[in-house]
Amino acid sequence: MSIYSSMRTAVRIGTEEALIQSGFPTIPVIYSHQNGSEPATSYVVIQIVSLMQKGRTEESTLVDESTPEKNITLKNHYEGTIQFSFAGSNAPDMATEFLNAIPNNVVVREAYQKNNLAPIRKSTLRRAPQKRDTKWVEFFNLDVTFSYAVYTNQTIDWVEHVRFVDENSGEIITVPPLP
């Protein structure tokens, strides 16, 4: 699965847990720009606004020798800003409870953490009601910046010995020495 898709899934899993812990277990969570019909009840929209690698790759120093292929593990950190939009009659309560649950509820934090996400910043909650035909529908927006760890296994070529030949004497030197 790609970095974008796996992050999107991880955000959704944590968001669903946050809604459960906030008292809204049946609220639909959808991704933005899916061209589907708008839910008839209150709902939450997830939109990945930005995704940027932070820092360099960390490489494991040991090679995993338990498999026929020799692998090293690479770890990259990304910072992703996610906009959460809360819509419908329950939007004010959902949004404020979600805002509180992200940093303060241990079950919510762990739901994100087990999917390699950690909330690091959040914006203020913004009210943005929208007109639908003849009535106004409540909307609230919140941006949360997450740190996202990506682990990749990479197969590498394995060098067990290096042989040097002395051009003058013809002597062969093996490093490390053969047993």
Side-chain angles (χ1 to χ4, degrees), residues 165-171:
V165 178
D166 186 327
E167 290 181 4
N168 297 328
S169 68
E171 177 185 6

Side-chain angles (χ1 to χ4, degrees), residues 7 47-52 79-83 121 143-146:
M7 180 180 191
Q47 176 179 332
I48 298 177
V49 176
S50 65
L51 185 60
M52 178 175 59
E79 203 171 271
T81 301
I82 313 301
Q83 179 176 296
R121 283 186 305 279
D143 297 337
V144 179
T145 302
F146 290 91

Side-chain angles (χ1 to χ4, degrees), residues 77-108:
H77 287 279
Y78 286 83
E79 203 171 271
T81 301
I82 313 301
Q83 179 176 296
F84 296 94
S85 298
F86 303 86
S89 60
N90 291 327
D93 294 329
M94 284 188 310
T96 53
E97 291 300 319
F98 185 84
L99 178 71
N100 183 60
I102 286 219
N104 300 319
N105 186 310
V106 69
V107 175
V108 173

Side-chain angles (χ1 to χ4, degrees), residues 106-157:
V106 69
V107 175
V108 173
R109 284 195 323 265
E110 288 176 355
Y112 284 117
Q113 286 172 353
K114 72 180 178 182
N115 289 292
N116 302 327
L117 284 170
I120 54 176
R121 283 186 305 279
K122 58 184 178 170
S123 71
T124 56
L125 189 59
R126 302 177 305 276
R127 183 172 183 245
Q130 295 182 13
K131 185 111 174 177
R132 296 283 197 265
D133 295 324
T134 59
K135 67 177 190 168
W136 286 91
V137 176
E138 283 286 8
F139 267 82
F140 283 80
N141 294 316
L142 170 69
D143 297 337
V144 179
T145 302
F146 290 91
S147 175
Y148 182 51
V150 176
Y151 295 90
T152 307
N153 287 320
Q154 183 177 354
T155 302
I156 61 168
D157 290 332

Side-chain angles (χ1 to χ4, degrees), residues 52-76:
M52 178 175 59
Q53 184 174 343
K54 300 299 266 186
R56 288 183 36 170
T57 299
E58 298 174 36
E59 296 177 9
S60 61
T61 56
L62 298 176
V63 174
D64 180 6
E65 296 184 46
S66 64
T67 61
E69 307 85 30
K70 306 303 182 203
N71 292 319
I72 60 170
T73 301
L74 307 172
K75 179 180 172 186
N76 295 310

Side-chain angles (χ1 to χ4, degrees), residues 63-70 156-164 173-179:
V63 174
D64 180 6
E65 296 184 46
S66 64
T67 61
E69 307 85 30
K70 306 303 182 203
I156 61 168
D157 290 332
W158 184 257
V159 177
E160 292 185 22
H161 300 281
V162 178
R163 291 186 180 182
F164 299 98
I173 301 169
T174 304
V175 178
L178 292 172

Side-chain angles (χ1 to χ4, degrees), residues 1-62:
M1 188 180 302
S2 75
I3 293 170
Y4 183 88
S5 294
S6 61
M7 180 180 191
R8 195 170 87 147
T9 300
V11 169
R12 181 186 184 105
I13 291 168
T15 301
E16 288 172 343
E17 186 61 44
L19 290 168
I20 290 168
Q21 294 297 316
S22 298
F24 300 96
T26 60
I27 296 295
V29 177
I30 61 176
Y31 300 116
S32 68
H33 304 89
Q34 296 295 303
N35 295 327
S37 58
E38 185 174 20
T41 62
S42 296
Y43 61 96
V44 177
V45 178
I46 295 172
Q47 176 179 332
I48 298 177
V49 176
S50 65
L51 185 60
M52 178 175 59
Q53 184 174 343
K54 300 299 266 186
R56 288 183 36 170
T57 299
E58 298 174 36
E59 296 177 9
S60 61
T61 56
L62 298 176

